Amino acid sequence: MTDRTQYEDQLTIDRNSLDSAVIEQPTLFYAVADLAAVARDLHETAKGNLDDVAAETANRLRIEAEQKGAKTTEGRISEQVTISDAFRSASEDVRMYKLEAERANNLKEAFMQRSSMLKLLVDLYTASYFTTTSVRTGAPAEAINAKAAEG
């Protein structure tokens, strides 16, 4: 999922643009939460497909054994199912979608953390922390002063 990477870049908070970050946060969080929901759904769909592949393969193996008059056991059928190409491919899909769902969920949690950090940064800004302690001189102070002069 390439959509996830576009949101990863937006996790960083520019303390000189807290107003923009606060305004964008709900929209970004909603988009990331939706991305996580879609990733979970794809993972669940892949798990269902794996179950279907296993059942279809087992059924096919039973029919083939019956047509040949060969005796087989459920254990042997189960072994043959797990080594079949279709099952291995479906298992790989489950693994891939699970990883993507976990990454999307991690991103969602990171945006929840970003929301908390925004609140703390706004509180610090309101308490004049940045103007008296953190950015008295240098490029960040100039950016704050330039932004203040614009507004």
Side-chain angles (χ1 to χ4, degrees), residues 15-16 130-131 134-148:
R15 68 177 174 198
N16 300 318
F130 293 122
T131 58
S134 178
V135 286
R136 209 172 266 235
T137 60
E142 293 168 6
I144 289 173
N145 293 334
K147 193 149 183 94

Side-chain angles (χ1 to χ4, degrees), residues 89-108:
S89 177
S91 293
E92 179 60 24
D93 288 347
V94 169
R95 188 201 63 76
M96 179 189 67
Y97 285 121
K98 178 181 181 190
L99 177 63
E100 198 57 45
E102 288 175 0
R103 286 178 172 167
N105 190 59
N106 291 345
L107 183 62
K108 179 182 168 188

Side-chain angles (χ1 to χ4, degrees), residues 111-145:
F111 268 92
M112 290 170 67
Q113 180 68 23
R114 182 181 190 267
S115 179
S116 298
M117 290 302 100
L118 277 171
K119 182 180 179 345
L120 290 173
L121 287 170
V122 168
D123 289 347
L124 288 172
Y125 180 81
T126 303
S128 299
Y129 175 82
F130 293 122
T131 58
T132 61
T133 306
S134 178
V135 286
R136 209 172 266 235
T137 60
E142 293 168 6
I144 289 173
N145 293 334

